[in-house]
Structures are given as C-alpha cells and as structure tokens.
Amino acid sequence: MKNHQKLLLGVLPATLASILPAASQPEKDQAGANRPNILWISTEDFSPHLGCYGDELARTPNIDRLAAEGIRYTHVFTTAAISAPCRAGIITGMYQTSIGCMHMRTTSYRRSVENPVEFTAVPPHYVKAFTEYLRAGGYYCTNNSKTDYQFAKDPVPESIWDECGNQAHYKNRPEKDQPFFAVFNYTGTHESQNWDISRVKTNPDKVKVPPYYPDTDIVRRNLARMYDNTARLDSVVGRLLDELEKEGLADNTVVFFWGDHGDGLPRAKRWLYDSGLNIPLIIRFPGKRDAGSVNDDLISAIDLGPTVLSLSGIPVPVHMQGLPFLGPQAGAPREYVFAARDRVDESYDMMRSVRNKKYLYIQNYYPNEPFAIWVPYLNRMPIMQEVMRLNAEGKLTVHQKKWMADSRPPEELYDVEADPFQLNNLAENPEYRGVLDEMRLQQKRWREETNDMGLLNESEMIEQMWPGGKQPVTDKPYFVVNAEEDRGLKNYREGGTYTLPMSLSFYCPTQGSSIVYTTEEGDSPRWKLYAGSLRLTEGTHTIRVKAVRYGYRSSEELTGKFTILPRRNP
C-alpha cells in the first residue's frame, strides 16, 4: 500500500468544513459506487453543426448516436464568445465579469510596450473551481488538458485537479471504485484549424453560406474546412465512448458533450450573436434515461459545474451564480441568459447581451468603434480576408456590409425566432419599444446584481489585484498537531515525535487559500487536496505541504517528518 494510503485512518472536516461540512458530504457506501462517474467531452469554437441538430452536411455518426441515447439541449449559451473568459466562468460557476476574468487575454496584458506586465486575475477569495468541491467529496478529477482560466498560467493551482495534462485519465485513479470526474478537451476545432483551406474533403458546393458572408469560393472552402474538423472531432468522441464501454464504466457514467463557444469564424467567435454564443450540449445518463429527447430550456454555460455537483450529491455553494438544471438541486429554468465581451487581445471593447427564447438584446458601450474590431489573430482567417477585400471593392451586400461598419448602434434588438441570423435590428422600431425597455432593464439589473466589473478601468483593476504591479504571494502554511504531547493544538513548521492517537491539520493565513499535500518525493508529486485532519498511523511519515490561492503565487513548500510511536500503556 502506498504511503499516502497508509497515512490516513480517517478524515475529519477542517479546511473546507465551512463549505462542505462532514454532515453534508455524500455517502461513501461501497467506496462511492452509488455515485455516478461523470465524463466531460468538450471541444473548442464549436456551434451546433451536427447531424443530430439538423445539419445535413455534418458527418457526425458518433455524436448523433450519443444524442439518440441521451438528451439534446437546444438553448444553451455561453457567457462569452471567446475561450479564456468563458472558461473562467465554467470552472468557477461564476460570470467572468464578476470575478475580474473578462478581458481576453488577462495574462498578456501590457501596461505599455516599455513596461509589459504578465498579469493573472485574482478572483474574490471565496471563488473556487467546482472540482475542488468534487475532490473534497471523494471524486478523482482529471483534465486532459486545456485550462486557460485567466487566473493562472500553467501549471494551474494543484488544488483544482488530481491530474492535469495530456496523460491525465480516469484510468489512473488509485482505487478503481473511486468515482471520477474526467474532462477530455478536443482542440482540433479551434479557430486556428480553419486557416488552411488548401485541401478540404467536404464538398464546398454543398455548404450553406450564412447571409452575413459573401458567397465566394474562399468562403465556401473555409466553411468546408470547418466541417472537416467536425468530422475529426466525431471520431475522437467515438473513441472516448468506446473506451468507456471497454472499461465497463458506461453503465455508471453520465456523459456530457459540449462546446466552449460558437464557431471559430468571423461574426461568430468574439460576437454576441447566437453564432458566437449558442453551443451544443448532449447528456447521456446510465441506462440511457430519456433517450432521444430534446430539451429547450434556457441554460448558461456557468450552469455546467453546479449541475455536476448536483448530480454528484454535493451541495452547490451559495455564492455560485450558475444554476443546476439536473439532479436533486435543480431549480426552475432560466428566463434569461447573459453574456459579455470586453477587451479582445489588443482591442478594448465592452458589450453586454441578454437573451430569452424570443429576443436578443445587445448594448454596445463603444458605439463609435468599428464593428469589426482590429484583431490580427482573427485577420488570419480566409473569410475575414475575403470580407475585407470585398468591402474595399464595394462588393458587399447590405447585410454583409453591416458588420464591417465604422460604428455600431448603441443598442441592438433581434427577434431570434423570425430572424435566426440576427440581421434586422429592431431597437429603433417603435413597435418593439416595450420589448426594448424590458430587455434593457434585465441587462441593467444583471450588471448590478452580479457586480459587473466591466466599467472599471483595467489598469485600476490590476492595481487592486497586484498592488504596485507585484503578484501577491500565498503565505507558507503551518502544521497543527493534536497529540498527547501537545494538547494545546500548537502551530508548527516542523515535524516531531508523537504517540498515538495523533492527528495532523494544516493551516494557511491567506484568505481564500487552498492547501495541498503529498507524501511522494521528486519534482512532480501527485498533490492531494486537503479537506480535513489526517490521523497518522504508527511509523515515520514525511509530509510536504503548500498553499495556493487563485491569481497568487503559490506558497513556499513546507516539509515535516513525523515519527508516531505506539500508544502508551495506561
């Protein structure tokens, strides 16, 4: 048996007790066999271009089969149309605008060319990745391998995942009956994979060109490349599902398939229309419950984490803004979903949107800025280059010209049922004044209730998070010993010799910190999340501990050697 397994005779509530007390922890009968495993298959820059969503050109037999065996959701929207801000929201269950993670990309912020600042956002102290609650509740959590959370550069805080990297896998968990939460993220649908259109397999002549694009060979080939990438995604999904079957885990695993935001194409990624925010979501339950059904409830991407907690029997923390839509903690469906766009690479911006099932409202806080912001990364896309060329030649149609305009309307309102491509702005139409007022009110109320940080100057935000331009550092933790020799629960930063019974706790003074520990040696140990006092067994134990807080630099490592002697005779 490994040292860290021999170490524990029991775990008592401690560090996470305030958020996950012992009484509320899921039952661990039969080593957690009564709790479902959960598999997330996520992909990047991906709208619902799938056969099961009615796209006849998509070659997606595996994903279509998953939908036939599960539930297909039609009204799921992310909170940002670009990866890092929306992923910060997904992993925390919080709007990126509430936790200072809305600018893309936070870590590449430059105060000036002469004075670059590699900055990571510092969320409020109470914000945790939802996987920390899963780990504290007994789940083995793996991520293979995208992170991009805005509040940390690689490696991410060790408290978030048991494993994070291209070798991370649920098959690596130490006990095979331990429930797992495993993420596999496919990057082959990313925007950058659409740049090369020299060879495509999908027939460009069969592609349906949205009316906001010019219908040219370059545009058709670019869209065909997107379908080629989708076919490769489907094969990856098939392999992951087959592997789950081969491991004998399909009958106790809930499978999620989803995309982080809309297509990696102009007027989709980075824009707050349905093309940028609407994502696929398919969920298959053990026993194929509700197989082949369709759900049209409004769902936000920040609801995914709280829903996993609900399905796992773990209480959803009250600070989370995401709402579980499945499991015992599921609430009423949303009436509205919200999204935001802020700085995108070099270009500052601020847009906010609110959508219900009938209307989409967008407020542009920089109406004098060009509609198509200047982003060199985006400009590498063949479609974007083709649109800029035709715009310069005066050959765009009215609808195509709109998103190349030199300014924007302060407000946009669309009837998404009658106008699925959001081409006809109704904001100035007096017949829709009541709708406009209601959607405007909902957007204002959302910003106020969620403490939207978008109006805060970014340099001021950075000064608040990194005073003086210096990254804060997590305090070095302490050992707290409870033994016959130290009945006073003294703090230590060293080991010692003690007699049974003896328990060991860890403490860090930094507000909002999490603590990880290991008994392994070497530069790449497997860190375990500290979730309660450790009862040490007889023998000698070397324990390494460090503390992390999101956006802070990790603490110095603390190492102690504890020798535990047999219980004294009375």
Side-chain angles (χ1 to χ4, degrees):
M1 186 178 291
K2 295 181 180 179
N3 289 339
H4 70 266
Q5 293 171 306
K6 293 172 62 178
L7 178 70
L8 302 178
L9 288 178
V11 178
L12 303 178
T15 301
L16 297 181
S18 62
I19 52 179
L20 189 64
S24 66
Q25 292 188 31
E27 293 296 328
K28 298 184 180 180
D29 298 344
Q30 300 176 10
N34 59 325
R35 289 181 287 162
N37 304 311
I38 297 174
L39 174 66
W40 268 15
I41 305 173
S42 63
T43 193
E44 304 202 30
D45 304 9
F46 195 76
S47 297
H49 294 301
L50 299 163
C52 56
Y53 280 87
D55 193 319
E56 298 177 356
L57 194 57
R59 306 187 302 277
T60 53
N62 293 298
I63 300 174
D64 296 347
R65 173 169 57 91
L66 183 68
E69 297 172 347
I71 307 170
R72 177 171 59 87
Y73 292 83
T74 61
H75 285 70
V76 185
F77 298 86
T78 189
T79 60
I82 197 164
S83 61
C86 74
R87 285 179 178 272
I90 291 168
I91 194 66
T92 61
M94 303 284 289
Y95 291 106
Q96 70 275 5
T97 49
S98 299
I99 60 176
C101 291
M102 61 279 193
H103 296 299
M104 173 71 188
R105 172 176 315 271
T106 300
T107 53
S108 64
Y109 169 80
R110 290 181 178 271
R111 182 169 294 165
S112 68
V113 174
E114 297 78 17
N115 183 26
V117 178
E118 287 294 320
F119 166 72
T120 55
V122 179
H125 61 87
Y126 50 82
V127 173
K128 302 281 187 183
F130 73 88
T131 53
E132 287 205 26
Y133 303 100
L134 285 172
R135 294 185 72 186
Y139 272 75
Y140 189 77
C141 298
T142 66
N143 180 53
N144 187 333
S145 58
K146 184 77 175 276
T147 53
D148 209 9
Y149 303 142
Q150 298 272 68
F151 51 75
K153 293 178 286 188
D154 289 333
V156 298
E158 291 87 349
S159 57
I160 297 179
W161 300 104
D162 286 284
E163 291 184 81
C164 185
N166 57 17
Q167 300 300 313
H169 205 291
Y170 58 81
K171 291 191 290 188
N172 299 333
R173 63 197 190 282
E175 300 292 340
K176 295 307 179 184
D177 55 358
Q178 181 180 7
F180 64 78
F181 171 73
V183 177
F184 292 90
N185 184 78
Y186 182 65
T187 60
T189 53
H190 186 263
E191 172 183 19
S192 58
Q193 303 304 305
N194 291 321
W195 291 341
D196 182 3
I197 61 173
S198 59
R199 293 184 298 274
V200 295
K201 295 181 179 179
T202 301
N203 186 349
D205 294 336
K206 294 185 177 181
V207 169
K208 292 182 179 180
V209 180
Y212 46 76
Y213 292 153
D215 190 348
T216 68
D217 180 64
I218 287 177
V219 171
R220 285 182 170 276
R221 292 180 66 83
N222 211 160
L223 294 172
R225 177 58 190 263
M226 180 191 69
Y227 280 101
D228 290 350
N229 296 337
T230 299
R232 283 189 285 272
L233 161 69
D234 186 74
S235 66
V236 171
V237 172
R239 288 198 297 272
L240 290 170
L241 295 177
D242 290 345
E243 185 175 42
L244 196 67
E245 288 279 356
K246 183 178 179 181
E247 294 293 318
L249 296 167
D251 290 338
N252 192 36
T253 302
V254 182
V255 178
F256 286 64
F257 170 82
W258 54 274
D260 62 350
H261 54 73
D263 290 331
L265 298 172
R267 205 186 178 274
K269 184 175 182 177
R270 302 177 183 87
W271 273 266
L272 301 187
Y273 302 115
D274 284 2
S275 54
L277 298 175
N278 185 212
I279 58 175
L281 174 64
I282 299 169
I283 301 177
R284 186 184 73 184
F285 283 93
K288 302 176 182 178
R289 190 183 83 200
D290 299 324
S293 62
V294 178
N295 184 296
D296 65 355
D297 290 343
L298 279 172
I299 294 170
S300 173
I302 63 169
D303 301 338
L304 293 173
T307 298
V308 167
L309 294 179
S310 179
L311 292 172
S312 305
I314 295 172
V316 177
V318 294
H319 72 266
M320 282 191 176
Q321 296 159 328
L323 305 175
F325 55 89
L326 292 169
Q329 299 172 75
R334 289 179 176 270
E335 293 185 48
Y336 303 93
V337 289
F338 303 89
R341 179 168 93 176
D342 293 272
R343 179 169 56 76
V344 179
D345 295 353
E346 298 88 347
S347 296
Y348 277 98
D349 206 346
M350 184 174 173
M351 300 170 64
R352 298 292 182 266
S353 73
V354 53
R355 191 194 193 281
N356 58 23
K357 288 186 178 181
K358 177 68 172 174
Y359 296 102
L360 169 66
Y361 169 80
I362 299 173
Q363 184 171 0
N364 291 298
Y365 286 75
Y366 293 95
N368 293 328
E369 292 292 320
F371 191 94
I373 56 177
W374 182 256
V375 178
Y377 194 85
L378 165 66
N379 295 343
R380 299 174 68 174
M381 186 67 61
I383 286 180
M384 196 68 200
Q385 295 173 7
E386 181 77 339
V387 169
M388 289 190 289
R389 178 183 70 82
L390 293 172
N391 184 52
E393 296 175 0
K395 295 180 179 179
L396 295 178
T397 67
V398 172
H399 289 311
Q400 294 158 11
K401 179 70 176 176
K402 282 181 180 179
W403 66 281
M404 292 299 292
D406 293 330
S407 63
R408 316 171 191 175
E411 296 178 294
E412 300 175 62
L413 178 68
Y414 300 97
D415 181 337
V416 294
E417 293 180 349
D419 181 17
F421 293 109
Q422 290 96 64
L423 299 174
N424 301 303
N425 185 7
L426 304 172
E428 298 296 328
N429 188 328
E431 295 182 11
Y432 292 88
R433 182 58 187 268
V435 176
L436 181 67
D437 288 343
E438 174 62 22
M439 300 299 275
R440 182 192 292 148
L441 174 64
Q442 292 298 330
Q443 190 263 153
K444 180 177 182 293
R445 181 178 297 165
W446 171 72
R447 286 194 301 105
E448 293 174 348
E449 292 178 350
T450 61
N451 190 31
D452 186 345
M453 299 175 67
L455 293 176
L456 179 65
N457 186 289
E458 188 176 13
S459 61
E460 296 176 1
M461 185 181 74
I462 289 175
E463 181 61 29
Q464 291 178 12
M465 294 181 175
W466 285 35
K470 295 182 179 180
Q471 185 179 19
V473 181
T474 315
D475 289 314
K476 189 175 181 179
Y478 291 85
F479 292 121
V480 180
V481 176
N482 182 14
E484 286 290 328
E485 291 81 358
D486 290 292
R487 291 182 181 274
L489 294 173
K490 295 181 180 178
N491 293 340
Y492 286 90
R493 280 185 170 162
E494 59 187 25
T497 300
Y498 304 93
T499 56
L500 290 174
M502 183 271 195
S503 66
L504 181 67
S505 301
F506 311 131
Y507 168 74
C508 176
T510 300
Q511 187 179 25
S513 61
S514 296
I515 297 175
V516 293
Y517 70 97
T518 186
T519 58
E520 298 177 6
E521 299 179 354
D523 295 333
S524 301
R526 184 171 296 182
W527 294 96
K528 299 173 71 69
L529 178 67
Y530 172 60
S533 300
L534 315 182
R535 292 178 179 173
L536 272 60
T537 58
E538 182 180 336
T540 298
H541 309 279
T542 299
I543 303 175
R544 301 162 59 185
V545 182
K546 66 177 177 179
V548 299
R549 177 175 168 185
Y550 301 170
Y552 281 41
R553 183 152 52 88
S554 298
S555 75
E556 296 179 45
E557 189 176 306
L558 172 68
T559 302
K561 181 177 288 187
F562 294 88
T563 299
I564 311 302
L565 303 177
R567 184 189 299 268
R568 294 171 180 165
N569 292 326

